[in-house]
Every structure is written in structure tokens, then in C-alpha cells.
């Protein structure tokens, strides 16, 4: 089971779209996909028409259960979606209280990793959508994975958010003695604007081979797909944004194969 975390400390850069788009493409390849929503805003959860505030169990319960969380407890928090092959571990607004209530509790940084380890035979891929805030949820998402996908809007304010994200990853890697492979994904690229062109060039100049050589364009089909509660590749398979995410997925899979061959 491969676990990819989609993270950035700036909001509005395409994290949820990236998780859903890649998840949809993987499901179309016959993979069993779990999308994990750790953002209290629950955008990924609502994307699939799931109202987490009406559910008996959500991701929040994994963090607050005082007993040993077993595989049955984790499975009962998972919701199937209308898309064959895609399941969701839903978020809830209560996750916003974790740092204040339980952030200092021993072992809180590894809750998600332990829970997902129990599901290693249930899914082929797990994609974790992370809130743009450094806290216990981001620490959990980074601890649970070996690959981090960092969507970055191609504009200069987003580059500043990327700098914060890189510092956060460095701190967490040192504290956990765990190195992450990461890929920076240029998003919301508009070739008609000078700002996008300059920001993309700056990304490539600063982060070099860590930047995926493609880019995700601005595409209104992403918004339409979310309204239809379908991954973009199901709603608009020929859209240019879908072609871009398909190229990204091919790139990520090839990279994973190269790493596995070196082991």
C-alpha cells in the first residue's frame, strides 16, 4: 500500500483537487483507493456528497479513542463513495480542536500512521489531504507517508508558502528521523499571464529536479466536476486538466518504480 500526502502551508493551491484527481485516475486503473480527509473544513469529504456532521464515526474518533484502535474501528469510519474503487475517511469540524485538547498527549503524532497500517491489505493507494496549518494533523499526515506531493499555485505569494512548507518538512524529518521524497506540483498555471510564467521559472530555478516538469493548468472543468461530485477524469475525461493530472500520475508511478528497483 502506497501512501501519498498532499500538503502545503498555503490554502487554495489545489490540494483537494490534486488528491481527488489522482484518486480518480488510480481507481480507473483498477486500484483500490482511500482518500483521507484531515482538514476540518472537510472539502474532500463534501466533494463526494458525504455530510460528516451526520456520521457516527469520522477521522476525529481515531484520535480521541482512549482504547487501542483496531482494524474494525478504523473500517467503520470509512465511507464508500458512488465511484467504484474510491473510499473516504471523512473529516469533521471537531478536528479543529485536536491541537488545543489533545496535542500534548503522548503518541498523538503517529495515530494516523498506526490506523493506516491496519488497512495495508484493504487498499492499494492512500492519498491524504492536509489542512494548511502546522499542527498535529500535518504531523500525522507526514509521519504516515514516504512521499509528499506539494501543489503550488504559480504565483509569487504561493512561493512564500512553499518556503514555510519546506522548513516544516525539514523539522519533522529531523524529529522523526524519517526522510520524505517530495514532488512540487505547479498548479493553476495560466500561460497567458506573466505572473504564472515567472513563478514557474522561479520554481524550476530554486527547486530544480524536485519540481514536476509539467504543470496543472487553470481549468473550469475542475469546478464543474466538484459540483457533480465526480473526480475530474470521470466528469470530463478529455479536459486539459485531466490530461495534465494523468501525466503527473504517470510520472509519480515511474518514480516509485525507480526507487523500488534501487532497493
Amino acid at each position: 500500500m502506497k501512501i501519498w500526502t498532499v500538503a502545503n502551508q498555503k490554502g487554495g493551491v489545489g490540494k483537494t483537487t490534486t488528491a481527488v484527481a489522482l484518486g480518480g485516475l488510480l481507481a480507473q486503473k483498477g486500484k483500490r483507493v482511500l482518500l483521507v480527509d484531515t482538514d476540518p473544513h472537510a472539502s474532500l469529504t463534501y466533494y463526494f456528497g458525504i455530510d460528516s456532521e451526520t456520521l457516527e464515526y469520522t477521522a476525529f474518533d481515531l484520535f480521541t479513542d482512549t482504547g487501542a484502535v483496531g482494524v474494525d474501528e478504523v473500517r467503520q469510519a470509512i465511507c464508500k463513495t458512488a465511484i467504484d474503487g474510491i473510499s473516504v475517511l471523512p473529516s469533521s469540524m471537531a478536528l479543529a480542536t485536536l491541537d488545543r485538547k489533545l496535542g500534548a498527549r503522548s503518541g498523538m503524532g503517529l495515530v494516523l500512521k498506526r490506523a493506516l497500517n491496519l488497512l495495508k491489505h484493504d487498499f492499494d493507494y492512500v492519498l491524504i489531504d492536509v489542512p494548511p496549518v502546522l499542527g498535529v494533523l500535518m504531523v500525522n499526515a507526514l509521519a504516515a507517508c514516504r512521499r509528499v506531493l506539494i501543489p503550488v499555485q504559480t504565483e509569487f505569494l504561493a512561493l512564500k508558502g512553499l518556503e514555510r512548507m519546506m522548513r516544516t518538512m525539514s523539522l519533522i524529518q529531523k524529529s522523526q528521523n524519517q526522510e520524505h521524497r517530495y514532488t512540487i506540483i505547479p498548479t493553476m498555471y495560466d500561460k497567458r499571464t506573466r505572473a504564472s510564467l515567472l513563478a514557474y521559472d522561479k520554481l524550476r530555478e530554486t527547486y530544480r529536479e524536485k519540481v514536476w516538469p509539467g504543470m496543472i493548468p487553470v481549468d473550469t472543468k475542475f469546478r464543474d466536476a466538484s459540483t457533480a461530485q465526480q473526480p475530474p477524469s470521470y466528469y470530463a475525461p478529455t479536459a486539459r486538466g485531466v490530461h495534465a493530472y494523468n501525466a503527473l500520475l504517470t510520472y509519480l508511478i515511474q518514480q516509485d518504480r525507480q526507487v523500488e528497483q534501487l532497493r
Side-chain angles (χ1 to χ4, degrees), residues 116-236:
L116 293 178
N117 281 343
L118 298 172
L119 303 175
K120 61 186 178 182
H121 300 301
D122 292 10
F123 299 98
D124 301 303
Y125 282 85
V126 177
L127 285 85
I128 308 173
D129 190 16
V130 185
V133 179
L134 176 56
V136 68
L137 293 168
M138 183 173 286
V139 170
N140 266 269
L142 292 176
C145 75
R146 285 302 178 93
R147 178 190 275 283
V148 183
L149 309 181
I150 310 175
V152 180
Q153 184 180 356
T154 46
E155 57 96 12
F156 277 95
L157 286 179
L159 301 189
K160 289 296 181 183
L162 176 59
E163 291 175 10
R164 292 193 298 273
M165 186 66 211
M166 299 307 296
R167 288 196 294 270
T168 294
M169 284 181 55
S170 178
L171 288 171
I172 292 177
Q173 285 176 177
K174 288 177 181 177
S175 66
Q176 296 177 344
N177 193 28
Q178 173 179 320
E179 182 140 2
H180 295 97
R181 289 181 293 123
Y182 67 91
T183 301
I184 296 168
I185 304 165
T187 61
M188 303 180 188
Y189 182 79
D190 187 345
K191 65 181 180 181
R192 299 169 299 178
T193 67
R194 188 166 179 267
S196 271
L197 295 170
L198 292 175
Y200 180 78
D201 289 344
K202 185 66 175 178
L203 269 179
R204 297 286 296 170
E205 176 189 339
T206 305
Y207 297 99
R208 300 181 182 276
E209 74 279 357
K210 296 299 184 181
V211 181
W212 172 50
M215 66 282 290
I216 305 299
V218 173
D219 192 337
T220 57
K221 293 297 184 183
F222 293 150
R223 188 183 305 114
D224 296 340
S226 67
T227 301
Q229 298 177 353
Q230 294 180 6
S233 57
Y234 285 74
Y235 179 80

